[in-house]
Amino acid sequence: MKLMTNLARVFRRNDPGPPAPDPSPPGGPAPSPDAKWMPTHRHRKGGLYRVVGHGILEADRTQAVIYDDAEGTVWIRSAAEFADGRFESLGPETDTAP
């Protein structure tokens, strides 16, 4: 019994325990409150959007553009649709190619 108690103490002392939970929300860390949201594209219907990344659509493995609006809604659209004239770039530094 004493051996079991000693072993339990050793393992507890060396066990770091479960990893701490990740404090960031799903989808990555939240932007800092003082970070200013700046649009990179205008939709043909007038909405302003910011490209935040590129990815691959799982269904057919085509390139995709990931973008958001000022309210924080995240959108995903195929790169072909994003580049077909629906969106106008607001500056030269807003490349949509992955």
Side-chain angles (χ1 to χ4, degrees):
M1 183 68 174
K2 186 174 181 177
L3 176 62
M4 292 300 285
T5 305
N6 287 340
L7 284 174
R9 253 188 259 133
V10 168
F11 283 111
R12 264 191 305 242
R13 187 177 28 196
N14 293 332
D15 181 14
D22 183 3
S24 57
S32 74
D34 58 344
K36 187 174 180 191
W37 184 88
M38 295 292 295
T40 59
H41 290 78
R42 178 180 292 117
H43 190 271
R44 67 179 175 207
K45 294 181 181 177
L48 295 174
Y49 300 93
R50 173 184 64 170
V51 173
V52 296
H54 298 89
I56 298 174
L57 293 172
E58 184 272 335
D60 58 6
R61 309 290 293 167
T62 59
Q63 295 292 316
V65 177
I66 305 164
Y67 58 103
D68 67 359
D69 60 23
E71 289 77 38
T73 303
V74 177
W75 304 87
I76 302 170
R77 185 182 294 259
S78 75
E81 286 180 2
F82 199 89
D84 71 0
R86 299 171 204 227
F87 292 86
E88 172 190 356
S89 175
L90 297 178
E93 70 284 348
T94 58
D95 181 25
T96 60

